[in-house]
Amino acid sequence: MVAATLLVFALLWVYADVIPALVRQWAVDPDYSHGFFVLPVAAFFVWERRAALASLPLRPHMAGLAALLVSLGLLIAGRYGSELFLTRLSMVGVLASLILFLSGWAHLRLLALPIAFLLFMIPLPAIVFNQLAFPLQLLASRLGALAISAAGVPVLREGNVLLLPGRSLEVVEACSGIRSLVSLLMLAVVLGYFTEKRAVARAAIAIAAIPIAVIANAIRVSGTGLASYWISPAAADGFFHTFSGWLMFIVALAGLVAVQRGFDLARGGAMPVARPQW
């Protein structure tokens, strides 16, 4: 326990400037506010594995030391290169490396899911985020324009701007859907963990989160456009805009649950699923 405590304090000291900055970004960046939930969920995954971990023999492996050096190299490169993503990614790498170095491959395999789940708390680098957000903006604009046109409202799309009679609607980066996509993907992993014991079904639920999030966001864009045309331009701003985002996220979550229920029906009805230990 003394050694473990010293190790924890050493990690906190090494990442003394990284962790507070990460938490501050969770607090101010709506795209990553779900980061506050990642650590408790990952800790719960570890807690469920406590009996299995206690039964495993300790077989430290030197490969963990090599991985630890690489992970610390990421920290140094991130600091000198002013790349926050690398410094934050190195935390997960250091954690996995220490488990391998001090306990062995069996412990690392058992803790693979909780460790990988921690990646959800790390914001993507700006270059990657923009490469994802802009195509999603265009896709949401395209699908939204199709839905608005199908409702009988004339609309012209210019990039990510929808031109309606007497008004225009811009699908900005915040409305690209990437925020709900990342959050929904995280919830899909949790849902699959608790409801499915087959790896294929879990992967399918996680993959299904992508089109569900895209469709839900397109519905939000088209609904906002129709509301601004039929009711008032104010429907595209303020409370109504924020509320529509929450509403569509609930709809997307319901779609995710529907996918999981589909797996239940495919295997002949719902059945209790034992808590997995992988």
Side-chain angles (χ1 to χ4, degrees), residues 22-44:
L22 178 60
V23 175
R24 283 195 299 269
Q25 185 166 354
W26 295 344
V28 301
D29 189 347
D31 292 329
Y32 292 99
S33 57
H34 63 270
F36 287 104
F37 300 98
V38 174
L39 281 176
V41 174
F44 179 77

Side-chain angles (χ1 to χ4, degrees), residues 220 224 227 233-248:
R220 180 192 182 192
T224 300
D237 302 305
F239 169 78
F240 295 101
H241 184 265
T242 303
F243 177 76
S244 67
W246 283 103
L247 180 61
M248 285 301 100

Side-chain angles (χ1 to χ4, degrees), residues 25 44 74 84 106 112 122 141 151 170 178 187 192 221 234 237 241 264:
Q25 185 166 354
F44 179 77
L74 287 178
L84 294 177
I122 302 177
S141 305
E170 182 181 4
I178 192 170
L187 290 177
V221 171
D237 302 305
H241 184 265
D264 280 342

Side-chain angles (χ1 to χ4, degrees), residues 198-228:
R198 296 172 298 169
V200 173
R202 291 173 178 169
I205 292 174
I207 294 173
I210 300 175
I212 289 175
V214 170
I215 293 173
N217 192 55
I219 294 174
R220 180 192 182 192
V221 171
S222 59
T224 300
L226 292 174
S228 67

